[in-house]
Amino acid sequence: MTTRRIFINNLVVQASIGMLDHELIHRQPLHIDAEFDTTITQDVQDEDIGTVLDYRQLREALIDVSTTEHTNLLETLVERLAERIQNDFPTVERVKIRASKPEAFADCDAVGIEIERSR
């Protein structure tokens, strides 16, 4: 079996995430990195995007899950992101998601959670 890895680096969304008082009131930037290993089921036809997994759809799924509703824990959000990808994209054999809050602490670039799931 041959696989292809698609990646999205540093997708920035404004998310309603966190349990602190200010996080319950205001959205904050959330950075998402993701990798998707897909099974190659057919040859790539340069004129037909349907012969590959369209990374625009993966990006939209990440944005949708991250911005639609409030989530208290970053751990919950990365679980939801991985679940959505596995449910909506059956050719994805492995997904790795890293979500981080760049404004959580002043003394570091970001704090975050990473999850990796395989079928």
Side-chain angles (χ1 to χ4, degrees):
M1 175 174 59
T2 306
T3 60
R4 178 178 294 119
R5 180 165 295 158
I6 299 168
F7 61 91
I8 296 174
N9 285 337
N10 204 31
L11 174 64
V12 180
V13 297
Q14 291 296 316
S16 179
I17 187 160
M19 298 178 75
L20 302 177
D21 288 341
H22 69 277
E23 293 175 318
L24 295 170
I25 298 169
H26 301 287
R27 289 182 175 268
Q28 62 183 301
L30 186 69
H31 293 193
I32 301 170
D33 296 314
E35 293 180 2
F36 315 93
D37 289 352
T38 65
T39 303
I40 297 175
T41 59
Q42 58 186 321
D43 292 337
V44 174
Q45 302 299 317
D46 194 46
E47 297 81 23
D48 183 3
I49 198 163
T51 61
V52 297
L53 178 53
D54 186 346
Y55 51 76
R56 294 174 300 179
Q57 294 173 354
L58 294 165
R59 178 184 165 274
E60 285 302 316
L62 296 174
I63 292 169
D64 183 51
V65 171
S66 300
T67 61
T68 300
E69 63 183 343
H70 180 83
T71 305
N72 288 324
L73 297 174
L74 203 49
E75 291 83 351
T76 303
L77 182 62
V78 295
E79 290 282 346
R80 288 179 182 164
L81 289 166
E83 183 177 323
R84 170 75 176 269
I85 295 301
Q86 287 187 313
N87 288 340
D88 288 6
F89 303 95
T91 62
V92 173
E93 294 295 328
R94 183 190 72 90
V95 59
K96 181 177 175 181
I97 308 257
R98 174 183 288 207
S100 59
K101 294 171 148 183
E103 295 180 357
F105 300 109
D107 60 354
C108 61
D109 287 339
V111 62
I113 303 295
E114 182 176 279
I115 188 173
E116 184 172 340
R117 284 189 184 172
S118 298
R119 292 190 197 273

